[in-house]
Amino acid sequence: MSEEKSLNFIEEIVEEDLKNGKYKSIVTRFPPEPNGYLHIGHAKSICLNFGLAKKYGGKTNLRFDDTNPVTEETEYVESIKDDVRWLGFEWANEFYASDYFEQLYAFAVTLIKKGLAYVDDSTSEEIAEQKGTPTVPGTRNRYADRSIEDNLQLFADMRAGKYADGSKVLRARIDMASPNMLLRDPILYRIKHAHHHRTGDNWCIYPMYDFAHGQSDSIENITHSICTLEFIPHRDLYDWCIEKLEIFPSHQYEFARLNMTYTIMSKRKLLQLVNEGHVNGWDDPRMSTISGMRRRGYPAEAIREFCDRIGVAKRENLIDVGLLEFCVREHLNKIALRRMVVFDPLKLVITNYPEGEEYLQSENNPEDPNAGHRDVPFSRELYIEREDFMENPPKKYFRLAPGQMVRLKSAYIIRCEEVVKDAAGNITEVKCTYIPESKSGSDTSGINVKGTLHWVSVQHAVTAEVRLYDRLFKVEDVANAEGDFKDHINEDSLTVLANAYAEPALLNDTPDDRYQFIRKGYFCLDKDSSADKLVFNRTVTLKDGWAKEAKKA
Ligand code: ATP
Ligand code: MG
């Protein structure tokens, strides 16, 4: 498939670099900051970085960009590794930017010795003020004139813990008039007396992103350092550091980040949803996190297919979440086991069916000849879906109604003979008769019916909880919608049906099985299931209900 597809712009660059011998093989990296769980945007970056290395016989490092001690946790490191593996990728090396702290410190000393970095005692307000504006050049202060010896001493003292947070920074000496504001003597190091999840209390100075990322790439001989568009202005500084330090020339390339309708993709905002209880944890099936999507039943193959289909763009756009759901549906249709589950039961009694039961063969998946059959118990008393019966139906109603016939899936044709009601007039039961010659697979009845209903035998039914999910946000472009993003939360994004009835085959299936509950959608078993209670998540509906809504509107 990928052979016929035209190359994306990064593949073109890589092929060119390999062809003209710039590199013998490529090295990419996926560099998450371990300050939250990965989301579908990260999946895009993972597929791109690992995918390139795979395609061109190179390798990919997993590098934790853990230079900020305050927000990072080991829990996040573990979840990130889990998610990358689950997506189907294996890294060549597991690295931590914090392992380079000593090397980065040495790089900073090199810059100081070259007269290219100085210690500045100004407050952050003063530094901001002296920076100028895009049209007005900035100015240097007196600290910029410190001698190399003084700078070396002060920087050593910063490291030794002699100064308070915020009292000094190390800055690169570049160009206070540069049109690129990031080149106006950018901060390289700041003082932060904070405990780091890996280096403990060894350090009280930490490198800034711009003095860690490119250098880490270079230390690892990364050939193609791929990041999102907002890092374009950082590229000059990335190149400046590599040039001045005379280290391996990694190169940065930028692509458009993934934005998706009805979805937020910012770890900071996702953390808010978790902390404020709008969802039940990072792996809540409504979350755009990889762990949420996994729990919801999205197959890794579908996520990879989605990332492939959206391609690699140079301009930001907003991808329809419907495309991701389409990929999920398409994959599940091929692999999901068909099962019958009744969500809102109405009892149906077949008055001419004998006591006892029989087992009817039903296909596990009509799309997959190798999926085999299962035996579904059938008996006199069944549950059908309440919405599949109407006492006074409109014309062209092909489900069950008094005097009308339908087929029960994989079973018989039945006719509704009588409606039973309680004192309040609620329908409590429908009585039917069945046509013995109409058995699926050996139907000699000659009767044609238009409707087929799913059902579950009452005495064999297994009680299940079914969780239906809808979009977590009500607006398409959440990131750019007016007001706080939380104003747009869809309060009805979770519906719990506590008393659904499932056919007993569901008791024997494994947690990794994916299901199509016939006429209901695609489902998977949730981790909240126990021996005496099955819990299912709706992964995705059978059809795109939102597309229909949009057409109606
Ligand atoms: P967030 O704002 O969600 O925290 P981030 O970019 O700060 O995202 P990092 O952990 O720094 O998160 O990102 C790791 C890698 O994933 C980076 O290379 C980043 O460019 C990439 N990435 C993050 N979000 C997206 C996205 N929406 N689309 C594509 N790539 C992304
Ligand atoms: Mg980040």
Side-chain angles (χ1 to χ4, degrees):
M1 188 185 71
S2 43
E3 270 121 21
E4 306 154 17
K5 267 177 72 172
S6 59
L7 301 179
N8 67 49
F9 79 95
I10 297 180
E11 288 171 333
E12 277 173 8
I13 292 167
V14 168
E15 291 205 355
E16 187 60 33
D17 287 349
L18 288 172
K19 201 172 77 191
N20 67 25
K22 187 168 173 189
Y23 305 113
K24 280 207 190 65
S25 68
I26 64 163
V27 187
T28 59
R29 87 286 174 264
F30 173 63
E33 184 179 351
N35 61 348
Y37 282 59
L38 298 182
H39 51 63
I40 182 75
H42 294 114
K44 173 72 216 174
S45 173
I46 291 168
C47 290
L48 178 57
N49 280 295
F50 282 89
L52 274 177
K54 210 170 189 171
K55 181 166 177 183
Y56 295 104
K59 59 180 191 174
T60 306
N61 292 337
L62 174 61
R63 182 200 315 144
F64 291 99
D65 196 350
D66 59 349
T67 53
N68 182 357
V70 186
T71 53
E72 293 154 4
E73 285 175 34
T74 310
E75 175 200 344
Y76 298 138
V77 168
E78 292 309 316
S79 77
I80 288 169
K81 291 201 281 187
D82 261 10
D83 287 348
V84 175
R85 277 203 195 98
W86 178 77
L87 270 177
F89 299 105
E90 199 46 63
W91 45 92
N93 301 288
E94 176 182 335
F95 288 136
Y96 292 81
S98 58
D99 287 345
Y100 308 140
F101 280 168
E102 197 62 55
Q103 175 69 68
L104 295 173
Y105 180 83
F107 285 155
V109 168
T110 301
L111 289 185
I112 295 174
K113 285 183 177 161
K114 289 186 168 188
L116 293 172
Y118 60 94
V119 173
D120 190 337
D121 299 5
S122 308
T123 62
S124 54
E125 291 78 20
E126 284 163 345
I127 289 176
E129 236 168 69
Q130 292 156 6
K131 207 139 212 188
T133 70
T135 48
V136 178
T139 48
R140 285 212 170 101
N141 57 46
R142 61 198 163 93
Y143 301 115
D145 301 326
R146 280 173 161 152
S147 69
I148 288 175
E149 290 67 34
D150 285 354
N151 280 317
L152 286 172
Q153 187 59 49
L154 286 166
F155 190 49
D157 289 345
M158 279 169 65
R159 174 180 183 167
K162 291 200 181 157
Y163 305 112
D165 288 8
S167 61
K168 285 182 169 48
V169 290
L170 182 74
R171 294 177 75 174
R173 186 188 186 89
I174 308 181
D175 178 4
M176 288 306 284
S178 173
N180 182 346
M181 299 293 285
L182 288 174
L183 292 185
R184 295 189 183 178
D185 291 11
I187 297 173
L188 305 181
Y189 265 91
R190 68 221 149 121
I191 302 172
K192 210 164 213 175
H193 291 265
H195 189 83
H196 185 280
H197 77 120
R198 293 187 90 237
T199 58
D201 297 316
N202 291 350
W203 293 89
C204 62
I205 56 171
Y206 290 96
M208 303 298 286
Y209 171 88
D210 287 314
F211 200 67
H213 202 91
Q215 288 76 347
S216 303
D217 285 344
S218 189
I219 291 168
E220 295 174 18
N221 286 2
I222 301 298
T223 55
H224 299 80
S225 174
I226 301 162
C227 60
T228 44
L229 295 179
E230 62 276 23
F231 289 95
I232 288 176
H234 294 256
R235 197 196 317 133
D236 289 341
L237 184 49
Y238 184 104
D239 292 342
W240 183 90
C241 290
I242 283 178
E243 185 200 317
K244 299 300 174 196
L245 292 167
E246 299 172 65
I247 53 180
F248 181 84
S250 299
H251 287 281
Q252 174 182 305
Y253 301 94
E254 308 87 9
F255 74 106
R257 67 190 297 112
L258 168 64
N259 304 302
M260 203 163 66
T261 54
Y262 302 102
T263 308
I264 52 161
M265 263 183 256
S266 146
K267 282 178 280 186
R268 191 176 51 79
K269 289 179 182 168
L270 292 169
L271 179 65
Q272 271 184 60
L273 293 177
V274 173
N275 285 347
E276 296 170 21
H278 298 287
V279 295
N280 303 312
W282 283 100
D283 68 347
D284 185 300
R286 291 165 293 179
M287 292 278 271
S288 59
T289 53
I290 295 177
S291 53
M293 293 184 171
R294 168 168 25 164
R295 182 168 175 192
R296 181 151 169 176
Y298 283 20
E301 293 90 336
I303 295 178
R304 294 201 302 264
E305 171 67 19
F306 167 73
C307 291
D308 198 43
R309 277 183 190 235
I310 56 179
V312 182
K314 278 190 192 175
R315 262 208 234 148
E316 293 244 355
N317 55 3
L318 186 62
I319 303 284
D320 183 354
V321 68
L323 179 62
L324 174 59
E325 291 166 355
F326 171 84
C327 293
V328 169
R329 216 175 265 127
E330 197 182 47
H331 188 78
L332 289 178
N333 185 41
K334 287 186 255 168
I335 63 155
L337 300 170
R338 272 51 173 177
R339 296 289 181 259
M340 292 198 280
V341 179
V342 172
F343 288 7
D344 181 16
L346 172 64
K347 199 163 158 189
L348 183 151
V349 180
I350 304 175
T351 52
N352 61 339
Y353 191 85
E355 291 293 334
E357 72 218 345
E358 70 177 305
Y359 285 85
L360 302 171
Q361 284 222 318
S362 194
E363 272 177 314
N364 277 327
N365 185 349
E367 304 289 322
D368 176 5
N370 299 321
H373 289 78
R374 70 195 188 283
D375 293 328
V376 188
F378 185 85
S379 66
R380 225 170 168 250
E381 297 194 342
L382 310 173
Y383 290 123
I384 61 163
E385 211 69 66
R386 192 165 278 276
E387 64 175 24
D388 283 338
F389 177 79
M390 272 183 100
E391 195 176 11
N392 300 301
K395 270 192 189 155
K396 295 200 174 173
Y397 182 78
F398 299 122
R399 292 179 261 173
L400 200 61
Q404 244 170 253
M405 290 197 279
V406 295
R407 172 170 294 284
L408 294 174
K409 171 79 185 162
S410 301
Y412 301 93
I413 294 174
I414 56 167
R415 185 209 319 269
C416 174
E417 309 288 356
E418 189 187 338
V419 184
V420 182
K421 295 181 184 175
D422 64 13
N426 302 310
I427 299 169
T428 53
E429 192 178 301
V430 289
K431 290 194 194 298
C432 297
T433 51
Y434 85 119
I435 294 157
E437 313 78 70
S438 68
K439 187 167 170 175
S440 288
S442 57
D443 181 1
T444 55
S445 70
I447 302 170
N448 272 322
V449 293
K450 284 222 166 98
T452 301
L453 307 187
H454 63 281
W455 51 274
V456 173
S457 164
V458 171
Q459 69 177 111
H460 304 92
V462 178
T463 315
E465 176 178 311
V466 174
R467 298 177 182 169
L468 306 177
Y469 302 102
D470 203 342
R471 305 205 155 141
L472 191 52
F473 293 95
K474 291 178 291 194
V475 292
E476 257 192 7
D477 192 354
V478 190
N480 294 309
E482 253 176 60
D484 188 80
F485 77 99
K486 286 175 289 178
D487 298 343
H488 306 292
I489 290 178
N490 173 11
E491 299 298 339
D492 302 316
S493 58
L494 170 63
T495 306
V496 178
L497 307 174
N499 276 301
Y501 289 111
E503 64 170 282
L506 282 163
L507 281 177
N508 309 325
D509 296 327
T510 71
D512 289 335
D513 283 335
R514 297 298 201 290
Y515 308 107
Q516 183 190 104
F517 290 173
I518 291 167
R519 302 174 64 222
K520 288 292 177 188
Y522 291 99
F523 290 80
C524 69
L525 199 65
D526 188 77
K527 66 175 186 185
D528 286 349
S529 296
S530 60
D532 43 36
K533 192 174 99 181
L534 296 176
V535 179
F536 294 101
N537 295 318
R538 184 171 66 195
T539 307
V540 67
T541 53
L542 287 179
K543 294 203 180 95
D544 186 351
W546 281 68
K548 258 189 275 161
E549 283 299 309
K551 265 190 214 134
K552 260 193 261 165

